[in-house]
Amino acid sequence: MSAEATNPVSAADAAVTDTTVRRRGRARIDLRRLGRAALLGATAGPAPRDRLPDAISHVAEAHRAHHPEADLAVLRRAYVLAESSHRGQFRKSGEPYITHPLAVTLILAELGAETTTLTASLLHDTVEDTEVTLDQVRREFGDEVAYLVDGVTKVEKIDYGAAAEPETFRKMLVATGNDVRVMSIKLADRLHNMRTLGVMRAEKQARIAKVTRDFLIPLAERLGVQALKTELEDLVFAILHPEEYENTRALIAENSHAGDALDAVAEQVGAVLREAGIGAEVLVRPRHFVSVHRVRLKRGELRGCDFGRLLVLVAEDADCYGVLGELHTCFTPVISEFKDFIAAPKFNLYQSLHTAIAAPDGAVAEILIRTHRMHTVAEAGVVALGNPYAGQESSAGPTPLTARPALVPGPVLTPDSGVTPDPQPEDGERVDPTRPGWLSRLLDWQQSAPDPDTFWSSLRAHLAEDDEITVFSADGSAPGTISLPAGASCVDAAYAQHGEAAHGCLGARVNGRLAPLSTVLGDGDTVQLLIAQDTVSGPSPEWLDHARTATARIAITGWLQAHPEAAAAPADAGPRPQVNVPADRRSGAVLHADLDGEPPAAVRPAGCCTPVPPDEITGFRVRGGSVTVHRAGCAAVETMRGVGREPVTVRWGDTAQCRVTLVAESFGRPHLLADLTEAIATAGAAVVAATVEPPSEQRVRHTYTLHLPDAAGLPALMRAMRDVPGVYDVNRARRRGRAEPPRES
């Protein structure tokens, strides 16, 4: 959009983008040439009606490569309107502003977007930055183009102030729920702005890169647009982690001939498949910068095959499994690396077989096996589906946006036959690939988050979810299937299925057996929720410990705030820059974090070192924008620093109470449990939970979760427990800490 500008890119950015471009064969856009062509078109008069202006000819060429029969007349009209309306506007680098919508349109054309999307992308900044009105766009190009342009148009900052950015995202997400092409245009728009971000001040580059990392990259992943996601990741990596980026760039440069190892394996694989009579194309796919960085963190020293993967493209689904059989027969497979995303596609439409084989020198070569159609969808995601509403068009034209149902029963993706309409889908959420489960859930909970800060932080946490599962309702009530993020519990299932009625949930049966609401569900589980019939029952504050989805957390927090007499409600559910975070339900202590104006999703003590007041503490940002707090001496602190995580200033609040887990090591003897619990009670602590492990070599381990009214009494409590006869040590519970590297694609 107009907030960003072009630049003579830095050497680092150029290296990243040029590598990405060579990998995909994408032609780099010469902005100065386009600027001259646009200006010449403006001064020399309009092009003849039977010829496209020179400045848009490259878009037409890319578009015709995917859609040979496309009518380009509407693109010509859109370009003429965009060029005339933006005439006199320039980007910060000096190029005419029209070069930006042209570049965005070319990105989408290369991904295979259909004509309506390209028309809207040419016009996507006209309503926001020029005198062109939305009604004018509607009159000249129709309702669909107007809807797409309006969907990516920012809200007025004069109306929303500091909330303009989150409200713009909310508007785009709601529009995406009706037409996924809105987000496709936004992603291409952000990619071009990220490519050309170098003339911005460093602090503004960092701010835009962080928003891209937290929101746009996860959305590109969920929509399956890997071609945009990987390049955005590299550009963000170069801005936010310049040292790690430079180290990775140098590593790739030092191993410029590493691809020879993969070339040799590719020749062997090709020979095996030819001998088996399987027609296949075997390609070497170099890893992008972030992928190389992740692999280096995972494996340490890299070998030749680690700098890329092999891609095997075939014609039919059955050929994928034929290739897999030949590879596992003729090479030594690495069984732990095998994944079948054809039989069980990812939630973002991705289909492929993943395997790995041991090369003759002992190196491991990763291999992706897919059909040509699967590869197109893997790279372009929903963009490759064309017009998702083509099945609803009639002789009168496309279905008006206002007439579309909230959940459109649209096309079904079949791996090799393209996109075909299904007139009677049984489950719109699962059948319509343009309205996946995660998007439906996101649109549901955003209605319950009217506060911009709550929406912003909840959206960040929601997009940090990595995968999704499907569970089945056992009571016959709608919906029969429930889509949830991986790691969701019965609490999440209750709110996904019953909404606010889940406040009265008493328990659940998972796969026919009674289970606590804290039970984490697995893909394919059957769940029956037990709901109280009265209207008095409400959620326990502890439910927040088990709720993974924003829908459940917002509903629980709202009920607790409305019923302070039933339970101590968490503080403000929408964190602000100077965080007012609710008392953590695991430690009972209030934590604060200073994030220079960025609201976190939550602030929580780390389970590896269980800090409590008055421990000296430090914090780190983790997935979803949350802050995890460690004791200053925790081993995880050095690990986090070692992978480039910047510490966050955190401090304890005014609350003196805390919850802590202690482990007592002792020699087995009669009445030991009674003596320990008596010592705990005498110290004024309450036992929340206790476990005793079976004796081993006459030694017994007791684990107690205790609630202390005053954290200052913890040292005295531990001394009292050590004084119990037979007890030789008492320590805070500790598990091995682990710093998370950036996520793999």
Side-chain angles (χ1 to χ4, degrees), residues 471-482 484 488-499 501-519 521 525-533 543:
V471 299
F472 301 93
S473 171
D475 55 11
S477 59
T481 60
I482 309 170
L484 297 168
S489 68
C490 293
V491 173
D492 299 300
Y495 282 95
Q497 185 174 15
H498 297 286
H503 292 330
C505 190
L506 302 175
R509 291 182 182 272
V510 178
N511 300 324
R513 296 186 176 184
L514 284 173
L517 290 176
S518 60
T519 302
L521 300 172
D525 281 349
T526 300
V527 183
Q528 179 182 2
L529 286 313
L530 309 176
I531 306 295
Q533 299 303 313
W543 287 17

Side-chain angles (χ1 to χ4, degrees), residues 369-552:
I369 308 168
R370 58 181 72 143
T371 66
H372 291 277
R373 174 61 181 168
M374 291 175 191
H375 180 59
T376 299
V377 175
E379 289 291 296
V382 295
V383 179
L385 302 182
N387 182 353
Y389 310 103
Q392 299 179 351
E393 294 181 5
S394 63
S395 57
T399 304
L401 269 294
T402 55
R404 291 179 185 161
L407 186 61
V408 183
V412 179
L413 178 65
T414 54
D416 293 299
S417 59
V419 180
T420 58
D422 183 354
Q424 294 180 334
E426 295 180 1
D427 180 356
E429 179 175 311
R430 304 303 297 174
V431 171
D432 181 7
T434 73
R435 185 70 178 271
W438 66 266
L439 180 56
S440 294
R441 292 195 304 274
L442 189 153
L443 294 175
D444 288 341
W445 70 252
Q446 68 86 23
Q447 297 177 0
S448 304
D451 177 70
D453 286 342
T454 302
F455 169 76
W456 204 225
S457 58
S458 298
L459 177 62
R460 182 190 289 113
H462 182 95
L463 293 176
E465 298 165 358
D466 291 330
D467 209 343
E468 82 171 19
I469 61 174
T470 299
V471 299
F472 301 93
S473 171
D475 55 11
S477 59
T481 60
I482 309 170
S483 297
L484 297 168
S489 68
C490 293
V491 173
D492 299 300
Y495 282 95
Q497 185 174 15
H498 297 286
E500 291 190 357
H503 292 330
C505 190
L506 302 175
R509 291 182 182 272
V510 178
N511 300 324
R513 296 186 176 184
L514 284 173
L517 290 176
S518 60
T519 302
V520 176
L521 300 172
D523 196 28
D525 281 349
T526 300
V527 183
Q528 179 182 2
L529 286 313
L530 309 176
I531 306 295
Q533 299 303 313
D534 62 84
T535 58
V536 179
S537 300
S540 163
E542 281 70 26
W543 287 17
L544 289 171
D545 287 342
H546 315 307
R548 176 77 183 270
T549 61
T551 302

Side-chain angles (χ1 to χ4, degrees), residues 163-175:
E165 187 169 28
E167 289 303 329
T168 295
F169 265 87
R170 189 199 297 267
K171 175 187 175 186
M172 281 191 296
L173 288 170
V174 173

Side-chain angles (χ1 to χ4, degrees), residues 146 218 339 495 588 664-665 722:
K339 297 181 181 67
Y495 282 95
E665 304 279 356
R722 290 192 187 102

